[in-house]
């Protein structure tokens, strides 16, 4: 029978014990073998100026000549083993390994063998895992090992000791002599050697047997020279050419099996030959059921939300003690179950609270706070940050963020802006974390270069701070219960007041008594609202960044959502249009247009355009949209979008620049600046562009406003376009030197088109001006135009919204804090304090 076939047969019978060598720890976390450990110990002593020069030089010579046993003897003498600093060195080297990949150890565990042996000092075989069925022993506990063998218990045995018990670490010749005198340990090893078949994994590197395993093999050869029991070793194909497999077979009856040409082939080979895949599946299923049942018990008792200590115990009993960040199977199982649990809940407050409780069981807020403060105090000292464990905390924090459902984090981004750093959502953190894990496979020189970068640790801090922000959220504030609306039997409404968190219908006379009101969410503001309807029903349609809703003020005590944006998507514009008895609602949501007819989904189409502002054209001609100048310096600025999503350009930024340059007041200044040449790029000149639609003697017009920099002073302009014959025609231009026209409204009186302009408060200028007859003069400026509201002496006085209520009446809103009701006939106004008010519109039937 071939050695591989024999090995598979023995694995099926649970008669194989994997013996794990330094090659496994090196592949998993870059930890050194015997030679590397001695060299590291030398460096440790040198950095602390510890040890006599002659003795240190002697150790280096012994290492170079390959006499590792004598070198280890002297190193322990230098480091004062088993006392300090030997204890500190062992902890420093093996206590906090930086894991590169768990693939090899995962494949070893999936063999489902009851016993694992290792010559390694580290705890990589069980630290990142929840080894519930296996006990952990070192060679000094031979009495306990014997009892476990009698009871057929599963265990992991450190043949050469473990770093956490430095007095058990077998490193020097004296240590091996001491081990040879341990008769209880010798009898256990003899029983294992004779009752089972060893499978050596990670025992060979560069064609030469690892010194640790050479010692084990020598033990077996000396202690049991005539026992004809077969054992196995997994070896790279190129190593067979060295002939080492002959020596193993002749001296110890160890059969070599090729696993491939490279070290990376080893986990794949073990997985392919594994005859115990069904055991692995059942083991994972049992663990999943255990976690699921525990979570259900927590939920049923109310402890999941109200008893953090109970949740902490549940997490600690369910997950590995160390290295959560390395994507352990146990953490993935917990994530899956938590996701399913959240999906079954309809209350988002409970979803967030449950997720927070589980994650707090993984990492404490105090630990996050400590690492943030550590960065604040040591941001200029990357070396101290590297040694502090901040990297592991950040990696763990990143995995904890991923344990929250994605759609929940997307909502938190909108409802609790700033809690999570924006780089989490744009993928930068994912890329950064991937780089960190990749860097761990690089050389020490490369790592030193990376870790010396302050920005590296600043990103770590941002990740930690993001998790801290999520855990600090109050679910009831992020997802508050909606208060009931105030409904009315009245059917004639005057004004619609849109505030960030409230919509109200009111009488149209000052001080506008409330007829009906709809409370919103404190954490998710209203973006728009319009009074409309179809057939005999009248209602308000509005939207937030996440959903579109309707509200009948005569009967609905809560809003009714009829469209919810997909995860990761945001609603930017909602436009309503009445055609006959039908109501059409057009929703622009990221890269698509969704249409509803009478509140029923009508169609959906993708849009390949960057929609900055959008207006609906009359007579079902589609839409006009503008892009941000800063985002598209030389390309299309205004485009037409058909109902089926086809985008065609109408006006480029260069063409817009030509129109602006042609305004006489602008031309006079820019002609001097550019020596008569139109600039090819306008970024820095034109910015803050917005388009809207209005009526011009019964016909629809498009109004563009923007700011423009002239000789380092910002001014603004307004252009009235008519869309006709698939082209934009300029009807009028208004220039506002040294002022920002942020909002405006057109008012028709007889054959005169008038303009009311509201400004940002940038100097000792009026806040609102009244322009008469802008249709009678192609180019109009502020000179001689009457002021309505004078600048305030204190406070922020920006005019952010303006709406014509009638031909003689305008309502303007100042910085969401004050409302002005202006009569244009005599330029008088009344005002009142408001809070978070966005816009006031007249209600039309």
């Amino acid at each position: 029978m071939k050695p591989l076939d024999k090995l598979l047969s023995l694995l099926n019978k649970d008669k194989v014990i994997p013996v794990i060598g330094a090659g496994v720890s090196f592949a998993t976390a870059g930890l050194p073998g015997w030679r590397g450990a001695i060299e590291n110990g030398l460096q440790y002593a040198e950095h602390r100026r510890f040890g006599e020069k002659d003795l240190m030089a002697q150790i280096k010579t012994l290492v170079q000549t390959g006499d590792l046993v004598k070198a280890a003897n002297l190193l322990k003498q230098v480091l004062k083993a088993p006392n300090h600093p030997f204890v500190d060195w062992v902890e420093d080297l093996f206590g906090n390994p930086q894991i590169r990949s768990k693939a090899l150890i995962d494949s070893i565990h999936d063999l489902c063998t009851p016993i694992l042996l290792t010559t390694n000092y580290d705890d990589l075989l069980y630290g990142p895992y929840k080894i519930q069925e296996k006990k952990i022993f070192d060679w000094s506990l031979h009495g306990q090992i014997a009892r476990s063998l009698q009871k057929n218990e599963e265990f992991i045995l450190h043949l050469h000791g473990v770093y956490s018990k430095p007095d058990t670490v077998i490193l020097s010749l004296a240590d091996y002599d001491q081990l040879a005198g341990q008769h209880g340990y010798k009898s256990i090893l003899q029983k294992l050697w004779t009752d089972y078949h060893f499978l050596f994994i990670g025992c060979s590197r560069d064609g030469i047997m690892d010194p640790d395993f050479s010692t084990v093999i020598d033990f077996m050869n000396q202690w049991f020279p005539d026992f004809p029991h077969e054992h196995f070793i997994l070896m790279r194909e190129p190593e067979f050419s060295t002939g080492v497999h002959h020596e193993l077979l002749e001296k110890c009856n160890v059969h070599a099996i090729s696993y491939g040409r490279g070290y990376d082939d080893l986990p794949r080979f073990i997985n392919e030959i594994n005859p115990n895949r069904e055991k692995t599946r059942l083991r994972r299923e049992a663990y999943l059921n255990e976690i699921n049942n525990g979570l259900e018990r927590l939920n049923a008792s109310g402890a999941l939300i109200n008893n953090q200590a109970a949740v902490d115990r549940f997490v600690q009993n369910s997950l590995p003690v160390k290295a959560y960040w390395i994507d352990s199977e146990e953490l993935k199982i917990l994530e899956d179950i938590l996701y399913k649990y959240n999906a079954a809940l309809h209350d988002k407050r409970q979803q967030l609270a449950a997720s927070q409780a589980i994650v707090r069981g993984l990492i404490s807020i105090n630990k996050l706070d400590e690492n943030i403060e550590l960065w604040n105090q040591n941001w200029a000292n990357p070396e101290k940050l590297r040694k502090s464990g901040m990297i592991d905390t950040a990696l763990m924090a990143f995995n904890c963020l991923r344990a929250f459902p994605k759609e929940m984090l997307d909502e938190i981004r909108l409802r609790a802006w700033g809690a999570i750093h924006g780089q989490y959502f744009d993928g930068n953190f994912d890329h950064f974390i991937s780089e960190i894990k990749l860097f761990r496979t690089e050389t020490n020189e490369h790592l030193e270069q990376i870790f010396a970068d302050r920005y590296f640790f600043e990103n770590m801090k941002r990740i930690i701070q993001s998790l801290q922000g999520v855990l600090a959220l109050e679910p009831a504030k992020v997802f508050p219960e909606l208060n009931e609306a105030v409904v009315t039997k009245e059917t004639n409404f005057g004004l619609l007041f849109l505030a960030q968190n409230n919509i109200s219908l009111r009488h149209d006379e000052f001080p506008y008594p409330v007829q009906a009101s709809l409370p919103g969410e404190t954490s998710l503001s209203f973006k728009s609202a319009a009074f409309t309807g179809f057939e005999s029903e009248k209602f308000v349609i509005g939207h937030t960044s996440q959903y579109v809703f309707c509200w009948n003020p005569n009967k609905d005590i809560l809003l009714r959502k009829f469209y919810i944006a997909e995860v990761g998507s945001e609603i930017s514009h909602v436009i309503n249009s009445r055609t006959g008895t039908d109501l059409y609602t057009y929703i622009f949501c990221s890269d698509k247009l969704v249409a509803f007819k009478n509140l029923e989904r009508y169609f959906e189409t993708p849009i390949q355009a960057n929609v900055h502002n959008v207006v609906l054209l009359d007579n079902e001609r589609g839409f006009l949209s503008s892009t941000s100048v800063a985002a598209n310096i030389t390309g299309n600025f205004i485009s037409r979008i058909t109902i089926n999503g086809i985008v065609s350009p109408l006006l480029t930024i260069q063409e817009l620049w030509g129109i602006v340059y042609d305004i006489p007041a602008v031309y006079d200044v820019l002609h001097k600046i550019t020596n008569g040449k139109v600039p090819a790029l306008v970024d820095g000149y034109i910015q803050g562009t917005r388009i809207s639609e209005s009526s011009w003697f019964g016909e629809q017009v498009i109004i563009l406003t923007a700011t423009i920099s002239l000789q380092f002073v910002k001014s603004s302009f307004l252009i009235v376009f008519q869309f006709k014959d698939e082209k934009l025609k300029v009807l009028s231009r208004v220039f506002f030197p040294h002022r920002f026209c942020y909002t405006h409204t057109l008012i028709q009186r007889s054959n005169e088109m008038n303009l009311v302009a509201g400004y940002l408060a940038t100097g000792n200028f009026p806040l609102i001006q009244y322009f008469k007859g802008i249709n009678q003069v192609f180019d109009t400026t502020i000179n001689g135009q009457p002021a309505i509201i004078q600048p305030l002496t204190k406070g922020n006085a920006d005019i952010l919204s303006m709406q014509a209520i009638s031909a003689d009446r305008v309502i303007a809103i100042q910085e969401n804090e004050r409302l002005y009701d202006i009569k244009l006939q005599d330029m008088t106004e009344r005002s009142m304090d408001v809070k978070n008010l966005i816009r006031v519109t007249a209600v039309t039937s």
Side-chain angles (χ1 to χ4, degrees), residues 624-627 636-640 648-651 691 721 728:
L624 291 187
S625 73
S626 68
T627 59
N636 297 324
F637 171 57
I638 296 181
S639 300
R640 182 186 175 192
S648 56
L650 287 178
L651 184 72
I691 64 170
F721 290 101
L728 288 172

Side-chain angles (χ1 to χ4, degrees), residues 320-337:
V321 176
K322 302 174 69 175
Y324 302 108
W325 59 267
I326 55 174
D327 303 324
S328 70
E329 181 182 21
E330 292 84 356
L331 181 58
K332 185 65 173 66
I333 289 173
L334 185 62
E335 287 177 10
D336 291 344
I337 292 175

Side-chain angles (χ1 to χ4, degrees), residues 172-187:
S172 65
L173 180 61
D175 296 330
Y176 284 107
D177 289 341
Q178 177 190 4
L179 193 61
Q182 297 291 326
H183 298 293
Y185 172 68
K186 182 176 180 179
S187 64

Side-chain angles (χ1 to χ4, degrees), residues 492-498 504-509 512 515 529-532 539-540 745 801-807 809-813 819 821 839-845:
N492 293 319
F493 304 105
L495 300 175
L496 185 150
F497 277 49
L498 171 64
S504 58
L505 293 167
R506 305 187 179 212
H507 292 289
D508 64 356
E509 292 300 327
Y512 327 108
Q515 297 170 283
F531 190 81
T532 184
F539 43 76
V540 173
T745 186
S801 175
M802 186 177 295
Q803 180 72 33
I805 304 303
S806 67
R809 187 178 170 203
V810 170
I811 288 182
I813 301 170
L819 178 150
D821 194 329
R839 185 168 60 254
V840 175
T841 56
V843 173
T844 56
S845 60

